[in-house]
Amino acid sequence: MAEDKKSAKAAEAVEATQEATETLQEVAVKEETPKQDPQEFLKEFDWDKYEEGIERVDDSKLEEFEKLVAENFVDTADAEVVEGKVVHMTDREAIIDINAKSEGVISLNEFRYNPDLKVGDTVEVLIDIREDKTGQLVLSHRKARTIMAWDRVNAAHDKEEIVQGFVKCRTKGGMIVDVFGIEAFLPGSQIDVKPIRDYDQYVSKTMEFKVVKINHEFKNVVVSHKALIEADIEEQKKEIIGQLEKGQVLEGIVKNVTSYGVFIDLGGVDGLIHITDLSWSRINHPNEVVELDQKLNVVILDFDDNKSRIQLGLKQLEKHPWDALGDEIKVGDKVKGKVVVIADYGAFIEVAEGVEGLIHVSEMSWSTHLRSAQDFVKVGDEVEAVVLTLDREDRKMSLGIKQMTPDPWTDITSKYPVGSKHKGIVRNFTNFGVFVEMEEGIDGLIYISDLSWTKKIKHPSEFVNVGDTLEVEVLELDVEGRKLSLGHKQTTENPWDKYADEFAEGTLHTAAVTDIVDKGATVVFNEDITGFIPSRHMEKEDGKKITKGEEVEFKIIEFNKDFKRVVASHTALFREQEERNVKAAKKKMAASAEESATTLGDANSALQALKDKMEADAKK
């Protein structure tokens, strides 16, 4: 077995020697071994004896030959990367020697990245084809660089090494970076720890990166510059956090501005200034006070246990405006200010920078009919008001606008005496009446019973609408209680006075039945008078009942002016005649009986007188 292995090795060595005879002639053997010409060796070698096994090759000669091949020849297997030497250059090509039986030719286009290439330089090449149709060795430097680049990129990723990259251009969502000849993607979020607004400033720059992701399937590489910064920042952050104290003043840079506040970079540690801690004055957005990349001093207000959330303040570095408020302002003074906030209950007025007072809606008008603050002022208005209360300790101030004008109730008795008539505007309804505004600050109430002499009103909306103008009469005035009682019906004559005779009991009227109700029917005699017909008074002479819409004659059987009540009857018309007939019959019968009784009495009297005369004559 050992002899077979040696024979195989010898055969392989001979074949390799035959292919590279010319090259072997130029190679020197090491000093410790005797020099021998390969051609002479081959010429003297008896192949017949070797094949027949007659002559044994000395082991030392075989080992010597194997060393010559290993030292002077490369394995020219396809798709393998080897090193080659530039032996000649033309205007278009570079001749590369890789110690093969022939040199390879590579276009200079593959060396565009290296304009300083010269004869004698060592370059990496890929043996693309060992021998083409013309017997030429085909090499590629570009493919070799790609293979080597992927090996280097993978090694950098596995070892977390820092690599150099050239930023080639912008692309959607980030940048394209050349790393070892491979186009890698640099996301916009991985450029820096702070948001980047100008990507172009990084184009054509060489920067350090960290390989963070490799997709072998799609040959994609993602790099990050931010990861390197974060590593440095993390060390700074630990140092800064360890020194943080409440009340400490630090310098920071505005990193981001949001609607609710500003993020400040304190040198690797971020803190938040809430919008309410930016200025003593009210602001609508933080960009009214600060701008991006602005340097400013801030004070540490608070932070959590691990100091990951730091609350900062800017306005706290300035004296509170209330402390700077002059002593000359006192209750009763007039002040001017701008409306900064409006709520339903009132408006906040800034009378000085950072000093606000509240005007409650009830202090905006003398009217007792409350409205929304938006009805009187709007944000940005300049107003003048009177200081009603002032609490410097609690930093509160209440103001009033209505006090700028005279109180309309001051001379109310002369303007609105009892019995006087006026016009007002309906402002509001209640279930029991209507509120009427006589003028700004003076409202009066008309009870539902004082709206109409004749109409029965269940709700004021049946009689009048909000915004209508009504004539009213002052019925009652309470100056201390600021109450004004009004009446509308009192402005017209009470129609019940004139109807007292027209609809007196016993009067007859013809009308149609308007409606049938549970206990009878209603009849509209005119626009003011509506009568009620009880069921027992709806029967006609033929025994039938009156129907809706039927027009018949009625007799008024009750008229009450105070309670506005009119009751009528149809049945009473023929029932009364019957009663009259019955009374006449009774009267006639009584007269006849009386006449009969008188005749009989006269006869008896005559007989008695005759009897008395006869008795007198007898005595004589």
Side-chain angles (χ1 to χ4, degrees):
M1 294 296 291
E3 293 295 330
D4 292 341
K5 288 182 180 180
K6 290 181 180 179
S7 297
K9 287 183 179 180
E12 291 175 359
V14 169
E15 182 180 357
T17 306
Q18 287 174 343
E19 294 178 355
T21 301
E22 295 178 0
T23 306
L24 284 173
Q25 293 175 350
E26 300 175 359
V27 179
V29 185
K30 293 183 179 180
E31 293 180 358
E32 65 269 17
T33 61
K35 295 184 178 180
Q36 186 174 7
D37 187 356
Q39 289 184 352
E40 183 180 348
F41 175 83
L42 293 173
K43 183 177 179 181
E44 294 177 356
F45 190 78
D46 190 342
W47 293 103
D48 294 334
K49 292 181 179 181
Y50 177 77
E51 290 176 357
E52 293 177 2
I54 298 174
E55 183 175 347
R56 176 183 177 85
V57 180
D58 189 270
D59 290 342
S60 60
K61 292 184 178 181
L62 291 177
E63 291 177 0
E64 179 184 346
F65 187 78
E66 288 176 359
K67 288 181 180 181
L68 290 174
V69 173
E71 291 175 1
N72 295 279
F73 289 92
V74 297
D75 185 2
T76 56
D78 295 346
E80 183 177 351
V81 177
V82 297
E83 286 189 350
K85 181 182 293 185
V86 180
V87 294
H88 184 68
M89 291 180 64
T90 68
D91 293 339
R92 302 175 61 184
E93 298 171 331
I95 310 301
I96 310 297
D97 180 15
I98 62 168
N99 285 338
K101 70 177 182 179
S102 63
E103 287 87 7
V105 179
I106 300 178
S107 173
L108 289 180
N109 287 334
E110 297 191 23
F111 297 97
R112 283 182 297 181
Y113 74 94
N114 183 9
D116 299 327
L117 184 70
K118 62 185 181 297
V119 174
D121 286 351
T122 300
V123 294
E124 296 168 338
V125 296
L126 174 73
I127 302 174
D128 208 356
I129 301 176
R130 185 169 55 183
E131 187 174 331
D132 63 5
K133 293 179 180 180
T134 62
Q136 179 69 47
L137 178 65
V138 180
L139 305 175
S140 174
H141 176 63
R142 179 178 55 81
K143 292 182 180 179
R145 283 191 74 222
T146 302
I147 293 174
M148 297 300 293
W150 274 103
D151 292 341
R152 295 173 68 183
V153 165
N154 280 286
H157 177 262
D158 295 340
K159 297 178 182 179
E160 297 186 352
E161 294 177 348
I162 298 174
V163 298
Q164 293 281 340
F166 177 75
V167 181
K168 297 178 64 177
C169 61
R170 283 191 58 180
T171 187
K172 184 178 180 181
M175 316 286 288
I176 298 298
V177 179
D178 186 322
V179 179
F180 304 137
I182 296 176
E183 288 191 348
F185 178 59
L186 172 62
S189 61
Q190 295 299 314
I191 298 176
D192 205 337
V193 290
K194 61 184 179 180
I196 302 301
R197 291 175 289 280
D198 181 16
Y199 285 72
D200 293 332
Q201 63 179 312
Y202 295 96
V203 176
S204 300
K205 282 189 176 182
T206 299
M207 302 169 60
E208 290 185 337
F209 300 98
K210 185 176 182 181
V211 180
V212 294
K213 185 177 181 182
I214 297 178
N215 188 319
H216 295 280
E217 181 180 357
F218 297 101
K219 298 295 182 181
N220 291 337
V221 178
V222 180
V223 296
S224 171
H225 181 67
K226 176 182 176 181
L228 303 178
I229 301 175
E230 287 178 335
D232 295 335
I233 289 178
E234 192 63 30
E235 295 298 324
Q236 298 177 18
K237 186 176 180 179
K238 291 180 181 178
E239 183 179 352
I240 293 173
I241 286 178
Q243 299 175 356
L244 289 182
E245 294 180 2
K246 292 181 182 179
Q248 185 178 9
V249 178
L250 299 174
E251 184 181 66
I253 300 175
V254 177
K255 180 178 180 182
N256 194 16
V257 179
T258 68
S259 60
Y260 56 86
V262 178
F263 287 93
I264 305 296
D265 182 0
L266 300 174
V269 180
D270 288 349
L272 173 66
I273 307 178
H274 194 269
I275 187 172
T276 56
D277 290 318
L278 282 171
S279 172
W280 292 113
S281 301
R282 290 181 185 262
I283 58 174
N284 297 317
H285 196 277
N287 57 22
E288 298 176 19
V289 180
V290 299
E291 58 185 16
L292 286 172
D293 299 328
Q294 178 182 350
K295 286 187 178 181
L296 43 79
N297 290 329
V298 293
V299 60
I300 298 177
L301 302 180
D302 200 1
F303 44 74
D304 56 7
D305 294 337
N306 57 10
K307 298 183 181 179
S308 60
R309 293 184 179 181
I310 304 172
Q311 182 181 346
L312 305 174
L314 180 63
K315 70 179 184 182
Q316 287 79 4
L317 295 175
E318 300 176 356
K319 189 176 182 181
H320 197 288
W322 272 90
D323 298 334
L325 188 65
D327 295 334
E328 66 275 6
I329 296 180
K330 56 185 180 299
V331 174
D333 288 350
K334 294 179 182 180
V335 293
K336 291 182 179 180
K338 182 174 68 174
V339 179
V340 290
V341 175
I342 293 181
D344 288 337
Y345 56 84
F348 288 92
I349 311 299
E350 188 177 50
V351 297
E353 185 176 356
V355 178
E356 296 177 3
L358 172 65
I359 304 178
H360 193 270
V361 67
S362 61
E363 302 298 339
M364 292 184 174
S365 171
W366 289 109
S367 175
T368 57
H369 173 63
L370 295 181
R371 286 172 278 175
S372 175
Q374 287 89 338
D375 295 335
F376 299 95
V377 295
K378 61 181 182 294
V379 174
D381 284 354
E382 294 285 344
V383 298
E384 188 174 13
V386 175
V387 179
L388 303 181
T389 63
L390 181 61
D391 188 338
R392 294 179 182 273
E393 184 176 346
D394 291 339
R395 295 170 177 170
K396 291 181 179 179
M397 181 190 304
S398 62
L399 308 172
I401 295 178
K402 70 181 184 181
Q403 289 78 7
M404 299 296 297
T405 58
D407 185 353
W409 282 84
T410 303
D411 56 349
I412 188 72
T413 53
S414 60
K415 294 171 65 175
Y416 300 100
V418 174
S420 61
K421 294 179 180 180
H422 309 272
K423 287 185 179 181
I425 299 175
V426 177
R427 291 300 185 191
N428 197 12
F429 290 148
T430 66
N431 291 330
F432 54 83
V434 178
F435 284 99
V436 177
E437 185 180 55
M438 308 300 294
E439 63 177 78
E440 181 70 27
I442 298 180
D443 292 345
L445 174 64
I446 304 176
Y447 283 99
I448 196 169
S449 58
D450 288 319
L451 287 173
S452 174
W453 290 112
T454 56
K455 293 181 180 179
K456 292 184 178 179
I457 303 170
K458 296 181 180 179
H459 192 273
S461 58
E462 300 173 8
F463 183 81
V464 71
N465 297 317
V466 172
D468 287 352
T469 299
L470 275 185
E471 289 192 14
V472 296
E473 181 178 319
V474 179
L475 304 181
E476 186 178 345
L477 178 60
D478 182 358
V479 178
E480 292 183 1
R482 291 179 176 256
K483 292 181 180 179
L484 192 62
S485 179
L486 307 174
H488 172 66
K489 70 180 184 181
Q490 288 79 3
T491 60
T492 60
E493 184 182 355
N494 188 350
W496 288 88
D497 293 336
K498 64 179 181 180
Y499 293 137
D501 295 332
E502 183 180 350
F503 289 90
E505 292 182 10
T507 56
L508 303 178
H509 303 272
T510 300
V513 173
T514 306
D515 198 8
I516 303 296
V517 294
D518 292 340
K519 296 183 179 181
T522 57
V523 177
V524 177
F525 291 113
N526 59 33
E527 61 179 3
D528 297 323
I529 303 297
T530 298
F532 176 69
I533 315 299
S535 295
R536 58 191 179 85
H537 289 279
M538 293 176 62
E539 185 178 345
K540 296 189 288 186
E541 193 170 1
D542 58 3
K544 297 181 179 180
K545 290 253 183 173
I546 303 171
T547 59
K548 182 178 180 180
E550 186 175 358
E551 187 174 89
V552 295
E553 191 175 29
F554 294 97
K555 181 180 181 180
I556 304 300
I557 59 177
E558 183 182 348
F559 180 85
N560 190 318
K561 182 179 71 172
D562 296 331
F563 293 99
K564 302 180 182 61
R565 176 179 174 85
V566 175
V567 181
S569 171
H570 174 71
T571 306
L573 294 175
F574 62 85
R575 288 277 172 86
E576 187 177 87
Q577 185 62 41
E578 289 178 356
E579 290 177 1
R580 283 199 298 267
N581 292 340
V582 170
K583 287 182 180 179
K586 287 182 179 180
K587 187 176 181 180
K588 186 175 181 181
M589 290 175 63
S592 298
E594 184 178 353
E595 184 178 352
S596 299
T598 302
T599 304
L600 183 59
D602 290 345
N604 290 336
S605 298
L607 289 174
Q608 186 63 38
L610 181 58
K611 182 180 179 181
D612 291 340
K613 186 177 180 183
M614 289 174 66
E615 288 179 356
D617 290 341
K619 287 182 179 180
K620 291 179 178 180

